Amino acid sequence: TAYTPTYTWNQVLGASQYYLYVNGPSGNVIKQWYTTAQANCNGTTCSVTPAVTLGGGAHTWWIQTWNTIGNGPWSTAMAFSTTLPPVPGATTLVSPTGATGTLTPAFTWNQVSGATYYYLWLDGPSGNLLNKWYTPAQASCNGTTCSVSPALTLVKGSTYTWKVQTWNTGGFGPWSASSTFGISVPGTATLVSPTGDIGTAYTPTYTWNQVSSASQYYLYVNGPSGNVIKQWYTTAQANCNGTTCSVTPAVT
C-alpha cells in the first residue's frame, strides 16, 4: 500500500539531471526531470518521493541521465507493484429529495472513505440528463459530505431521480439508493403575528409558518396611507428554524 513510494538509483558521474519515468496499469503516471540537488544525490545514490499517489497494480520505472552534452542512455527497467485497495462502500444521498423550490439544485451526498471518484446519475421525465464522474476535489468533499451543482436547468412540475456510485483503483463500489425529487412552487405561508391591536409596538416582529421548499419570502405590509414594507428575505435572513420564520424590519 505504498502508493507514494520513494525512487532510489545509483548516482552517475557527470550527470547533472535525471529523468524519472513511471508507468502504471493504465499508462504513464510520472515523467519528471530532477537536478542532482532535487534528487538528493549524496555521491552514491539519488532519491526522490514524488507527490503522486499511484493506483493499485503493476508498475515499471526507468531513469535517464542528462548533462549539457546531451541525453545519456536509459537505465534498465525495474518493476514493482502496489496492493489494490478494497472497493469503496456505498454513499448515502442527502439532498435534493421530496419537493424542492429551485430549478438548479445542488446534489449532496455523504463522503465515503477510500472513494477517489463519484459517478452522479440523474434521470428526468425524458430519460437520462446527467452521467458524470467527479473527484473529491471537484465534488467539494469536506470530510463529511460532497456536493456538486451541475450546469442544468430543470423544469418546474417535473420529477427527477438520482443516484451516486463510488470508485477507486480497487474497482467499482455499489450504487447508492436512489432519491426522487420534484420541482414545485412553494405553498402558502400562514401568518402568526402581529395580529389585532399591538399598541405602541411601532416596529413589530413579523412571524409566519415556514413553508417546505420555499427559499425566499416576500413581506408586504400596508398601512393607513398604503404600502409601508415590501421586502424579500431568504430563509436565513428570515431566521427560519424549521417551524416558523421571523423578521423585524427597521421600519417605524
Side-chain angles (χ1 to χ4, degrees):
T1 57
Y3 299 122
T4 54
T6 296
Y7 300 84
T8 303
W9 60 94
N10 289 331
Q11 188 168 349
V12 176
L13 182 66
S16 56
Q17 291 195 43
Y18 297 90
Y19 190 50
L20 171 63
Y21 195 92
V22 184
N23 278 344
S26 300
N28 178 254
V29 290
I30 300 173
K31 48 184 179 181
Q32 178 67 47
W33 282 104
Y34 296 91
T35 65
T36 53
Q38 293 169 331
N40 305 295
C41 297
N42 58 17
T44 304
T45 59
C46 304
S47 182
V48 295
T49 307
V52 176
T53 302
L54 304 179
H59 293 72
T60 306
W61 68 290
W62 301 259
I63 291 288
Q64 185 180 32
T65 53
W66 180 91
N67 64 18
T68 54
I69 304 302
N71 292 322
W74 284 96
S75 68
T76 56
M78 180 168 280
F80 67 94
S81 63
T82 54
T83 302
L84 287 171
V87 298
T91 185
T92 302
L93 305 185
V94 177
S95 64
T97 184
T100 181
T102 176
L103 297 177
T104 55
F107 295 84
T108 303
W109 60 89
N110 288 331
Q111 188 169 351
V112 176
S113 176
T116 54
Y117 277 92
Y118 296 92
Y119 190 49
L120 173 60
W121 184 281
L122 173 66
D123 283 334
S126 301
N128 180 251
L129 297 176
L130 179 69
N131 51 88
K132 186 174 181 179
W133 287 101
Y134 296 91
T135 66
Q138 292 169 331
S140 303
C141 298
N142 58 18
T144 303
T145 59
C146 304
S147 185
V148 296
S149 298
L152 294 172
T153 300
L154 306 184
V155 179
K156 182 174 67 176
S158 297
T159 299
Y160 299 87
T161 301
W162 66 291
K163 56 186 178 180
V164 172
Q165 186 180 31
T166 54
W167 183 90
N168 65 18
T169 53
F172 293 95
W175 285 97
S176 68
S178 296
S179 182
T180 299
F181 66 95
I183 310 296
S184 62
V185 295
T188 304
T190 301
L191 307 185
V192 177
S193 64
T195 183
D197 188 350
I198 62 172
T200 57
Y202 298 127
T203 55
T205 296
Y206 298 84
T207 303
W208 60 92
N209 289 332
Q210 188 168 349
V211 177
S212 175
S213 81
S215 56
Q216 292 195 41
Y217 297 89
Y218 190 53
L219 173 62
Y220 195 93
V221 183
N222 277 344
S225 302
N227 178 254
V228 291
I229 300 173
K230 50 183 179 182
Q231 178 67 47
W232 281 104
Y233 296 91
T234 65
T235 53
Q237 292 169 331
N239 304 297
C240 298
N241 58 17
T243 304
T244 60
C245 303
S246 183
V247 296
T248 308
V251 176
T252 301

